[in-house]
Amino acid sequence: MSLFRKAGTEFERAKRAVIGNEEAAFVCTSCEEDLTEEHSHCPHCGEATVESLE
């Protein structure tokens, strides 16, 4: 993941937290979707690239 793409992803997560959306604890590194629950495969793209944000 490029530096700018990672910075953009982190900004989006922070923005969602401020707006009041549920804070994500996991993220799919393939499609960059935030997830509130742990999955073995991403429910959005089906890839096995779900990682913890902590």
Side-chain angles (χ1 to χ4, degrees):
M1 185 181 304
S2 75
L3 176 63
F4 293 110
R5 190 172 194 178
K6 185 171 182 165
T9 302
E10 292 299 321
F11 175 77
E12 274 300 313
R13 262 190 222 106
K15 182 175 79 172
R16 289 178 192 160
V18 169
I19 292 173
N21 292 350
E22 253 184 78
E23 190 167 340
F26 301 90
V27 67
C28 174
T29 57
S30 292
C31 68
E32 298 183 2
E33 284 292 323
D34 292 335
L35 306 169
T36 57
E37 298 176 4
E38 185 175 14
H39 297 276
S40 60
H41 289 78
C42 177
H44 300 282
C45 69
E47 296 292 326
T49 54
V50 177
E51 295 182 4
S52 174
L53 291 174
E54 298 173 9

